[in-house]
Amino acid sequence: MIPFDRRTGKIWYDGALVEWAGATLHVLSHGLHYASSIFEGIRVYGGEPFMLTEHIARLRSSAHLLDFDLPYDDEVLHAATLDVVRVAGITEGYLRMNAWRGSEVIQTAALKTSVHTSVAAWELPAGYYAATDALEKGISLVTGRYARPSPRYAPVKSKAAGNYMTGTVSKNEALRAGFDDAVLLDDHGNFAEATGAHLFFTKDGALHTPTTRCTIDGITRACVLALADREGIACTVGDLAPAFAAAADGAFICGTACEILPVARIDDHHYDLTGNEVVRKLIAGYRDLVEGRRVVGVPTVWAR
């Protein structure tokens, strides 16, 4: 894969399309030193950004939680995203939207820093998030050594760069141990999520998923809940102790990048992927949704 700093094309940066190589920031930017940086990942299907309005709303909410405002309104960001996709000529791909504090000061307090914004897009190669046969064979998860922090201790509802450092370490360790990803517990010792995706279990034809008390409110997760409701699949949202992995008859993760991926293993517990009608229905329903053959209402909990 070509390193991202060596690619070509256009990136929308602070109000204008610039050459890919010119979309840089100074090494003394506050966002680099103090994690005052937020982002959104958005999938492009058939040339259209999926759930773009919801992603922009969550970006704005994330900024507010980190105590800054985006310098552009939603309409500008929406138009900028469409421009980036159009110029790149992408039909099936991925967008990354970022906002961060600038380089006016390098200290903890940052009341007078500028805020910068960018939108970039690229085609998604096969196997970008997981192996190309992951839908058939499933993925493996191992419990990570770090827990997601309590909402008392961090702005966990912000899709902030700093909130992903435990995910990076945990997934690195999982890959070294021969797993595909890690599953993280919350501050009470219950399941929280995978390193970059939400976690669902199936049991006796119903869904079970952890609360989002310690995590962001997932847009794909909201889509899954809406699809389950449409299909008449009961879903319980609540605290799930690690022992629930053995009681469940199936599991999957979901997120913008991974979509819906079945889980074949969590630690030493294995799932038989054949015949899991719930997972099959949701994967098919999500594909219909992203390709425009189905519409579901998703709550806009990110509006501020």
Side-chain angles (χ1 to χ4, degrees), residues 60-69 101 110-111 113 115 155 158:
R60 191 169 300 281
S61 175
S62 292
H64 290 170
L65 289 167
L66 292 198
D67 197 35
F68 64 85
D69 293 315
R101 289 187 182 272
L111 293 177
T113 56
V115 174
S158 175

Side-chain angles (χ1 to χ4, degrees), residues 31 35-39 66 98-99 158-168:
S36 53
S37 171
I38 58 173
F39 70 96
L66 292 198
N98 289 78
S158 175
K159 196 169 175 66
N163 285 338
Y164 284 81
M165 60 182 176
T166 55
T168 296

Side-chain angles (χ1 to χ4, degrees), residues 28 30 101-106 112-116:
L28 294 180
H30 194 276
R101 289 187 182 272
S103 55
E104 288 77 12
V105 298
I106 292 296
K112 298 185 183 301
T113 56
S114 58
V115 174
H116 302 272

